[in-house]
Amino acid sequence: MRAMLISSALAAALALSTAATAAPTSLLPTQPEAVQAPARLAPLAADSAWTPRFEAAADELVTALRSRDEARWAPLFGGQWLAAVDRDRIAGLLHDRHSPFLHALFSKGYTHRAIFGWSAPASLNADERAAIEAGQEAEALVCWSAGGNGDGPWPVTAGEADNRPGRSYACARIAYSIRGDAPTWRAFIEQGADAADAREPA
């Protein structure tokens, strides 16, 4: 009888030891995370307070890029805060014959421009939309394409503004702020995964 009790105690101890080393089981129900479709781009509204700001920034940016002078375009991408690898990448895009920038900005055809924001969710009411419009920060994508009539094709999502070879358009993201004493903006050129992960504005 004593032997049986010892055996039972050993079996119980082994069972507890095995349970302790096993992977913990969550008590919370787990559901696979729903894959959300990328937010679609939409042209900036002509009557938006942000439209003339982004248009002026886009004009300054394209002039600097067309100059191919790093002293002119680098300050628009962050100046001293622009990483050396990004500085080299942008310079390469302005000279690489496979770059969409070469065709969009330097071809003999007329260069068309489009400025896009992110489509607001349909669930937003008028007050929420007005609050976004009255915000102090905003982002937009400016894209250029040469030839045609300017109807596109243009990117549908930020992921398509990736400036990869073969695109018929070249794009830059502009982050604009009216906080502080003077409006400021900074440009970014994304490629590949960077474009897909570009932060959507609030």
Side-chain angles (χ1 to χ4, degrees):
M1 182 69 174
R2 185 176 177 184
M4 288 181 63
L5 288 174
I6 292 173
S7 297
S8 299
L10 283 172
L14 285 172
L16 286 173
S17 175
T18 302
T21 58
T25 304
S26 173
L27 300 178
L28 299 174
T30 57
Q31 294 292 334
E33 205 171 307
V35 178
Q36 294 185 349
R40 295 176 69 84
L41 301 174
L44 290 189
D47 60 351
S48 169
W50 289 102
T51 298
R53 296 171 182 146
F54 281 113
E55 287 177 340
D59 287 342
E60 186 177 351
L61 180 60
V62 74
T63 300
L65 290 174
R66 278 183 167 149
S67 75
R68 287 180 169 151
D69 182 357
E70 186 175 321
R72 294 182 63 182
W73 57 255
L76 305 181
F77 290 91
Q80 62 180 325
W81 293 281
L82 180 63
V85 64
D86 291 324
R87 191 181 297 265
D88 292 343
R89 183 170 55 84
I90 294 169
L93 285 170
L94 298 178
H95 293 87
D96 182 357
R97 65 188 181 91
H98 298 294
S99 164
F101 280 89
L102 206 65
H103 174 71
L105 301 185
F106 300 101
S107 71
K108 294 181 180 179
Y110 179 79
T111 296
H112 302 279
R113 183 187 70 193
I115 303 178
F116 301 97
W118 283 258
S119 298
S123 58
L124 292 184
N125 60 37
D127 290 340
E128 290 169 326
R129 290 173 186 269
I132 293 173
E133 180 70 15
Q136 293 184 297
E137 295 179 347
E139 291 191 0
L141 283 170
V142 56
C143 299
W144 301 275
S145 180
N149 54 14
D151 290 338
W154 296 109
V156 175
T157 66
E160 294 179 8
D162 56 2
N163 297 303
R164 66 173 171 80
R167 292 289 191 200
S168 60
Y169 49 79
C171 299
R173 178 168 57 91
I174 296 176
Y176 206 109
S177 173
I178 56 174
R179 296 181 185 274
D181 298 331
T184 59
W185 60 270
R186 180 177 174 179
F188 302 83
I189 291 179
E190 273 105 11
Q191 286 184 278
D194 292 339
D197 295 336
R199 184 171 61 85
E200 295 172 10

